[in-house]
Amino acid sequence: NYSFPIIANVVTVIVSPLCGRAIDRRGVIIPLIFMTLFTEATLAACILSEYRVPPANGWFMLYASLVCYGLMSGILYTLQFSYMILNVPGPHFGPVLALCTFVQALVGN
């Protein structure tokens, strides 16, 4: 099944530059609000896919949750990366990024 990597990566490629531009112009509050909304939408779509009530058909809600998850993760990783660029000194950026990636891999994010 190729839908997960294709949808998740396409959504991330589209969302990340827009999120970076929003952070530059308005700060982090707007991306944080959207990240929270997409997290809630992902959770709602996953719950609705279990009940399979029309019009929330099972497969449609699973794909909706996949798109919402891609949007949420694209915003999350853009926020994380922009925070680290602004607050971690240059020589320590690589090790801190590696540590963050390692911890995220441990917890399964």
Side-chain angles (χ1 to χ4, degrees):
N1 194 345
Y2 299 107
S3 59
F4 178 75
I6 291 173
I7 292 174
N9 288 324
V10 166
V11 169
T12 302
V13 165
I14 293 170
V15 164
S16 293
L18 298 174
C19 182
R21 180 171 285 169
I23 291 170
D24 286 341
R25 289 187 178 172
R26 306 276 180 173
V28 297
I29 192 69
I30 301 293
L32 282 174
I33 290 171
F34 277 107
M35 187 183 70
T36 304
L37 292 174
F38 288 128
T39 302
E40 296 297 325
T42 303
L43 180 61
C46 287
I47 290 171
L48 287 175
S49 70
E50 288 296 316
Y51 292 112
R52 293 186 174 95
V53 268
N57 208 355
W59 65 270
F60 176 76
M61 294 312 285
L62 287 175
Y63 279 101
S65 68
L66 180 60
V67 170
C68 289
Y69 179 75
L71 290 166
M72 182 265 310
S73 63
I75 295 171
L76 171 70
Y77 295 133
T78 304
L79 284 168
Q80 173 187 352
F81 196 72
S82 64
Y83 175 81
M84 288 175 41
I85 286 175
L86 293 174
N87 293 313
V88 176
H92 303 293
F93 181 77
V96 171
L97 181 63
L99 178 65
C100 287
T101 306
F102 177 73
V103 170
Q104 288 172 348
L106 285 179
V107 297
N109 187 356

